[in-house]
Amino acid sequence: MKRQFQELREVLAGRRARLLLAGLALSVVGDGAAKIALLLRVHDAGAGSAGLAVMLALFVLPVVLLVGVAGALADRPDPRPVVVTAGIVQLGAAVALACRTDFVSTGLSVIVLQTGFALGNSAWVVALPRAVGEEHVGALVSLHHALLALAAPLGAGFGGLLVQHVGDPAPFVLNALTFVPLVLAASLLPVRGDGAVVAAPRGLLRTLVPVEGVRALGEQPLLATIVWAVLPFIVALESVNAIEVFLVRGVLGGSSSQFGASEAAAGVAAVVGALAAALARTTRTRAAAVLALLGVISLCQVGQGLAPNLIVYVPLAASVGLLLGAVNALTLTLMVTATDVRSRGSIVAFVGGASRSCGIVALGVGGLLGSVLEPRTAYVVVGLVGLAIAGSAVLTVRGRLSVPAGSL
């Protein structure tokens, strides 16, 4: 643990890494404020649950539909034109959200905002680790995840306060302002200096469809096994999001504040888990840790379903948050260390878009589970499914844990 903290200090000692992380964290604060303000705007306009569902879908669709384009852009040696342009596009969309409040204009601005995010995010993920030496990539990714886990709820809190005390446009103005340091920080991103030849143009279809991401992932058998285990696991895990409140409030008799406390405990624990992920320093240990943690998370979910009271439930919820924080950081670290630098962006974009798609599927699965199973049973079933997924991945990956890490 002492060595881990020393690594984190070494990462933060670098001025470029500090500025990049600060720019990303500030932008997430602005994003969190804007999302809360957006939800409040749709609610106050009387659009109902259907309108809210449409707006949330608009948030996700650009990320899903632009996977191939995002991957192609992220694989370019110089990420700066992409991330700077994406940041400016997002800034403009945030200003538009502050100026126009009707449903149609809001929806169009959200599409533009998330298009900028979709096209720039993968490039950020791929380029950020180059700001430190290869030996510090795990620490940087863990620190990045921990900061984002803190920034998102902080931004959500700011968003609610600004809407209540200043007015609807204020959170969007804040969001626009946070893109300024992000764009400035983007100019500090290092260019890939491996001398790799830029891939030939892929053609329109191969660019729009994430063919390259799927192909490149298939060339990394160990990482592919991890990803194909994590994606269905996301569906199982997130399906209980629609059921959790009924378990805590209805079955366990918790109050609104106690439900909020359990969510907060999971969020804080996720930060700790992301930082702890830096303890794994090799491809072998990171892959083994992900598979093991998937199984432990599933056991915790079974425990949540069987919990007799909140005293048992809340520590289990915090444990799930802790382990998920570690899994997210470990998986991202694998994607930026155990892959070919020339196709890393395509893999990151594909996995990001696929995980968002799984989140959408999880909403439907959760609604179905909630309609046919009582909350305790749903949690147990989901936990057992997660155990089956983790066990299947362990059997598939056996003998592959000795695969060496790719060069950064």
Side-chain angles (χ1 to χ4, degrees):
M1 185 66 71
K2 183 178 180 180
R3 184 178 182 182
Q4 178 197 13
F5 285 123
Q6 178 62 32
E7 269 199 285
L8 294 174
R9 285 195 296 269
E10 290 176 4
V11 168
L12 292 175
R15 179 174 176 272
R16 180 162 62 177
R18 287 201 310 271
L19 291 174
L20 290 170
L21 289 171
L24 287 167
L26 283 173
S27 72
V28 172
V29 170
D31 290 343
K35 187 169 185 179
I36 288 298
L38 180 68
L39 297 178
L40 291 172
R41 175 184 289 184
V42 174
H43 174 270
D44 294 346
S49 58
L52 192 60
V54 169
M55 200 61 67
L56 291 174
L58 294 180
F59 248 90
V60 176
L61 282 178
V63 181
V64 175
L65 296 178
L66 294 173
V67 168
V69 179
L73 293 174
D75 281 333
R76 297 189 174 199
D78 187 354
R80 292 171 298 183
V82 175
V83 295
V84 169
T85 302
I88 293 173
V89 168
Q90 289 177 283
L91 190 157
V95 171
L97 283 166
C99 296
R100 298 292 298 271
T101 61
D102 62 280
F103 189 86
V104 174
S105 296
T106 297
L108 292 174
S109 297
V110 165
I111 292 174
V112 175
L113 181 74
Q114 291 303 97
T115 296
F117 171 81
L119 296 179
N121 185 61
S122 296
W124 268 106
V125 170
V126 171
L128 181 63
R130 300 184 201 136
V132 298
E134 183 176 354
E135 69 277 10
H136 296 317
V137 169
L140 177 66
V141 172
S142 295
L143 188 59
H144 179 207
H145 267 274
L147 286 174
L148 299 192
L150 285 171
L154 181 65
F158 274 137
L161 289 173
L162 286 172
V163 170
Q164 182 174 348
H165 297 290
V166 182
D168 175 88
F172 301 109
V173 173
L174 172 64
N175 194 26
L177 291 174
T178 61
F179 286 118
V180 175
L182 182 68
V183 169
L184 294 175
S187 64
L188 300 175
L189 283 171
V191 178
R192 193 176 76 207
D194 56 4
V197 178
V198 180
R202 301 172 180 176
L204 180 61
L205 182 61
R206 289 179 65 84
T207 298
L208 293 176
V209 180
V211 175
E212 290 297 320
V214 176
R215 180 197 60 76
L217 182 62
E219 293 176 352
Q220 307 289 335
L222 176 59
L223 180 61
T225 301
I226 299 295
V227 168
W228 294 123
V230 168
L231 291 178
F233 192 84
I234 290 173
V235 176
L237 179 75
E238 295 190 7
S239 66
V240 296
N241 288 347
I243 301 169
E244 183 178 17
V245 65
F246 298 101
L247 177 63
V248 175
R249 296 294 311 278
V251 178
L252 298 178
S255 63
S256 296
S257 61
Q258 288 172 323
F259 175 65
S262 69
E263 293 292 289
V268 171
V271 176
V272 178
L275 292 173
L279 289 170
R281 298 177 56 82
T282 67
T283 296
R284 177 188 177 90
T285 55
R286 287 167 186 148
V290 169
L291 295 178
L293 293 179
L294 293 183
V296 178
I297 289 170
S298 301
L299 289 174
C300 289
Q301 283 197 298
V302 173
Q304 285 177 288
L306 300 176
N309 50 49
L310 287 173
I311 295 175
V312 176
Y313 175 87
V314 172
L316 288 170
S319 298
V320 170
L322 175 79
L323 301 174
L324 273 178
V327 166
N328 290 335
L330 288 166
T331 304
L332 183 55
T333 303
L334 284 169
M335 286 194 289
V336 297
T337 59
T339 52
D340 190 308
V341 294
R342 294 166 296 185
S343 58
R344 188 168 294 159
S346 297
I347 293 175
V348 169
F350 167 69
V351 175
S355 63
R356 292 295 183 100
S357 300
C358 288
I360 296 174
V361 174
L363 292 175
V365 173
L368 178 62
L369 285 175
S371 64
V372 299
L373 299 175
E374 59 96 17
R376 285 191 184 278
T377 305
Y379 263 81
V380 172
V381 168
V382 166
L384 293 176
V385 170
L387 276 175
I389 293 171
S392 175
V394 169
L395 293 176
T396 303
V397 84
R398 182 174 295 173
R400 291 177 176 171
L401 289 179
S402 60
V403 175
S407 58
L408 181 63

